[in-house]
Amino acid sequence: MRRHEFQPGRLIAGLALLVAGVLYLLDSSGEADVPWFLVIPLTVGGLSLAALTGMVTYAVRRDRRDRPDRRDPISASRDQ
């Protein structure tokens, strides 16, 4: 598998949806009594946090890419 850049926004989105899915599974199996109004804010909050993280990550990487004097170690290893 080729190396790809780390995307923390996608990680946070995946974890938020995974937690919501596990809570739904626990509720449907009868193991836990999770109110419906807990899962929706958890999902929306997790996706909002993921969007914010993705925008910050994009801004930081764009700023690093625009600087000619510094090189990212990952891109330097790809060039060789």
Side-chain angles (χ1 to χ4, degrees), residues 9-61:
R10 289 186 179 190
L11 175 67
I12 292 172
L15 288 175
L17 293 175
L18 182 69
V19 167
V22 167
L23 286 175
Y24 179 76
L25 182 67
L26 288 174
D27 188 39
S28 67
S29 68
E31 296 292 325
D33 187 25
V34 181
W36 65 270
F37 54 85
L38 176 71
V39 176
I40 293 174
L42 175 75
T43 304
V44 171
L47 292 177
S48 299
L49 182 63
L52 179 67
T53 305
M55 290 187 320
V56 169
T57 303
Y58 175 75
V60 167
R61 288 184 179 161

